[in-house]
Amino acid sequence: MTGERDADCLFCKIATGEIPGDVVHETESTLAFRDIEPQAPTHILVIPRSHQPNVATLAAKEPETALALLDAVAAVAEQEGLEAGYRVVFNTGAQAHQSVFHVHAHLLGGRTMGWPPG
Ligand code: DGP
């Protein structure tokens, strides 16, 4: 694995296979796996293998990986048949309900999404 790694990070451990995940898509720099607490019929987390705490640090420090992450989100949405629509969420910071501080895109679909979000 290239880039940063945090030995105490849950998603770093899923990225290396130390902790199992229900993986649906992988590239050299990204991994996608089903969320353990799904909030929609399709709820997948897409992460960079490299450890960055949030989307802001990822974009600033590893812009090519940020682009790869967005490409992976689009590929997974197509793979999962979400052409009717989907939502991509980066919870950033505790007030926004970020609980795992390894950047992850929530890819949500398979039902009508409410707006505004809670
Ligand atoms: P957030 O609250 O935005 O940081 O989202 C973290 C998500 O991670 C949350 O929806 C639940 C999910 N999650 C937490 N632990 C695990 C785990 O061990 N495996 C999987 N697949 N998902 C997890």
Side-chain angles (χ1 to χ4, degrees), residues 57-107:
T57 61
L58 180 70
K61 295 189 176 175
E62 301 185 47
E64 67 295 333
T65 308
L67 178 58
L69 185 67
L70 294 179
D71 280 341
V73 167
V76 175
E78 185 175 356
Q79 178 182 298
E80 293 288 317
L82 300 180
E83 50 280 318
Y86 56 87
R87 183 164 292 165
V88 183
V89 175
F90 288 95
N91 291 332
T92 306
Q95 191 172 34
H97 206 285
Q98 186 176 5
S99 60
V100 178
F101 288 83
H102 179 131
V103 57
H104 48 282
H106 292 263
L107 172 61

Side-chain angles (χ1 to χ4, degrees), residues 10-11 14 19-22 33-37 43 45 91 96-101 104 106:
L10 172 64
F11 286 177
I14 291 177
I19 291 176
D22 185 358
F33 51 95
R34 297 194 189 279
D35 195 293
I36 207 168
E37 296 170 22
H43 186 173
L45 301 174
N91 291 332
H97 206 285
Q98 186 176 5
S99 60
V100 178
F101 288 83
H104 48 282
H106 292 263

